[in-house]
Amino acid sequence: MPTRHILPLPGYTQTIGRLVAMLTYARQTTLAAVNGLAREQLDHLHDSRSNTIGALLAHVAAVERVYQVITFEEREPSTAETAAWSAALTLADEGRREIQGHELAFYTDELLRTREATLAALAQRDDTWLEAPLRMSPELNAHWAWFHVFEDEISHRGQIRWLRGRLR
Amino acid sequence: MPTRHILPLPGYTQTIGRLVAMLTYARQTTLAAVNGLAREQLDHLHDSRSNTIGALLAHVAAVERVYQVITFEEREPSTAETAAWSAALTLADEGRREIQGHELAFYTDELLRTREATLAALAQRDDTWLEAPLRMSPELNAHWAWFHVFEDEISHRGQIRWLRGRLR
């Protein structure tokens, strides 16, 4: 059972710590939702317009990679990055075609590597940075961006739970 | 487009304000996800084990009511409250049987009334309260509880988007 206290955390400024607590809780529930799934279950398509659970996991990691670039590097993803992440970001036909054949560890390893980079970068920043408008996108601040990362993850986790309940 | 800044808000202590910004953003996306749905769409069952979109909206409001009781009144829901909220909380057969026949405004009015009560209560509390363990449930604090309210909402919003995409 993940901790059910949202609090500042050691190693982060106060508001970043609370944010990390939320990011962490959300991730724990995602990992719990896919625990034990086999490759064929990760590749299963519920219907022709669905995304596989594997593709949704790849999407969660890719969204986090994009927001690392936007918030920590304050730039748009490069052409190479966009190409690498495109199937996972857009899902749909490209995701259905390209994201398959992987064991669960393929997805969870990428989630882990991605999250390690996020936490290392957040540990070097402070609450003033967190709440300032982003230079490249002043219509959002980094706090919203990282809220959105776990918000999008939770939304897809809801779909993953629904899809998992219908695996044969 | 809802604001994409998470910041302290006037009328609340700082951390409560950021929490309210997240609660508000999540709610705006839920309302956007159901905008314009007719009664028969709110009552549509995708398959025999699904919940209708209407029942999911009722669930979101009921979960918020429960956490009002737990965090603001620091008590378990009463027998009468449990009975009133049971179908929406448990969903499944009881929800499928009891929650139907309503227009969208039935659900959105209840969401609005519930949220007004939440915000009024949060405006009277402070960040020390938010982060202290709950007296009746010290394994959680109020910040987690209210994070969980929007986390559960977002998870079901993900399902609502999926279900709405498959309405005929």
Side-chain angles (χ1 to χ4, degrees):
Chain A
M1 167 76 78
T3 177
R4 293 191 289 166
H5 292 96
I6 304 297
L7 287 169
L9 297 178
Y12 304 96
T13 56
Q14 295 230 331
T15 304
I16 290 182
R18 297 180 186 102
L19 172 68
V20 168
M22 291 184 264
L23 283 160
T24 301
Y25 186 92
R27 179 58 46 86
Q28 288 170 320
T29 64
T30 300
L31 295 176
V34 298
N35 187 39
L37 288 178
R39 185 170 57 186
E40 56 270 30
Q41 295 174 307
L42 293 162
D43 282 349
H44 177 72
L45 263 191
H46 178 78
D47 64 31
S48 65
R49 298 173 48 233
S50 285
N51 300 298
T52 68
I53 293 175
L56 291 172
L57 289 175
H59 177 77
V60 168
V63 168
E64 185 164 346
R65 291 283 187 199
V66 168
Y67 280 96
Q68 288 173 352
V69 168
I70 293 174
T71 65
F72 300 141
E73 304 185 34
E74 299 218 39
R75 61 174 178 83
E76 297 284 352
S78 67
T79 307
E81 287 165 342
T82 300
W85 302 334
S86 170
L89 285 177
T90 58
L91 294 169
D93 282 342
E94 190 181 354
R96 280 186 282 273
R97 192 171 58 240
E98 298 188 14
I99 305 170
Q100 52 177 301
H102 305 294
E103 300 292 341
L104 181 59
F106 172 86
Y107 301 105
T108 55
D109 287 354
E110 172 62 8
L111 286 167
L112 183 63
R113 279 191 303 270
T114 306
R115 179 54 50 91
E116 284 174 348
T118 298
L119 297 185
L122 287 174
Q124 295 175 333
R125 285 163 176 81
D126 65 20
D127 293 351
T128 301
W129 167 84
L130 188 69
E131 298 199 321
L134 292 176
R135 275 197 298 268
M136 66 163 273
S137 303
E139 74 280 10
L140 54 95
N141 67 5
H143 200 167
W144 180 86
W146 288 99
F147 159 77
H148 179 59
V149 167
F150 75 71
E151 178 228 337
D152 191 65
E153 174 169 354
I154 292 165
S155 180
H156 292 302
R157 186 207 68 200
Q159 295 169 341
I160 288 171
R161 286 179 179 171
W162 194 97
L163 292 167
R164 181 173 191 161
R166 285 157 182 81
L167 291 173
R168 284 160 223 280
Chain B
M1 167 75 78
T3 177
R4 292 191 289 165
H5 292 96
I6 303 297
L7 287 169
L9 297 178
Y12 304 96
T13 55
Q14 295 228 330
T15 304
I16 289 181
R18 298 180 186 101
L19 171 68
V20 168
M22 292 185 264
L23 282 162
T24 301
Y25 186 92
R27 178 58 47 86
Q28 288 170 321
T29 64
T30 299
L31 295 176
V34 298
N35 186 38
L37 289 178
R39 185 170 56 184
E40 55 270 30
Q41 295 174 305
L42 293 163
D43 282 347
H44 176 73
L45 262 190
H46 178 79
D47 64 29
S48 64
R49 297 173 48 230
S50 285
N51 299 298
T52 67
I53 293 175
L56 291 172
L57 290 174
H59 177 77
V60 168
V63 167
E64 185 164 346
R65 290 285 187 198
V66 167
Y67 279 97
Q68 288 174 351
V69 168
I70 292 173
T71 65
F72 301 142
E73 304 185 35
E74 299 219 38
R75 62 173 177 83
E76 297 283 353
S78 67
T79 308
E81 287 164 343
T82 301
W85 301 334
S86 170
L89 287 177
T90 59
L91 295 169
D93 283 342
E94 190 181 352
R96 281 185 282 273
R97 193 171 56 240
E98 297 189 13
I99 304 170
Q100 51 177 302
H102 305 294
E103 300 292 341
L104 181 59
F106 171 86
Y107 302 106
T108 55
D109 286 354
E110 172 62 7
L111 286 166
L112 183 63
R113 278 191 304 270
T114 305
R115 180 53 50 92
E116 285 175 346
T118 297
L119 297 184
L122 287 174
Q124 295 175 332
R125 286 164 175 79
D126 64 21
D127 293 352
T128 302
W129 168 84
L130 188 69
E131 298 198 321
L134 291 178
R135 275 198 298 268
M136 65 162 275
S137 304
E139 73 280 10
L140 54 95
N141 67 6
H143 200 167
W144 180 85
W146 287 100
F147 160 76
H148 180 59
V149 167
F150 75 71
E151 177 228 338
D152 191 66
E153 175 169 353
I154 292 164
S155 180
H156 291 302
R157 185 207 70 201
Q159 296 168 341
I160 288 170
R161 286 179 178 171
W162 195 96
L163 292 167
R164 182 172 190 161
R166 285 157 181 82
L167 290 174
R168 282 158 224 281

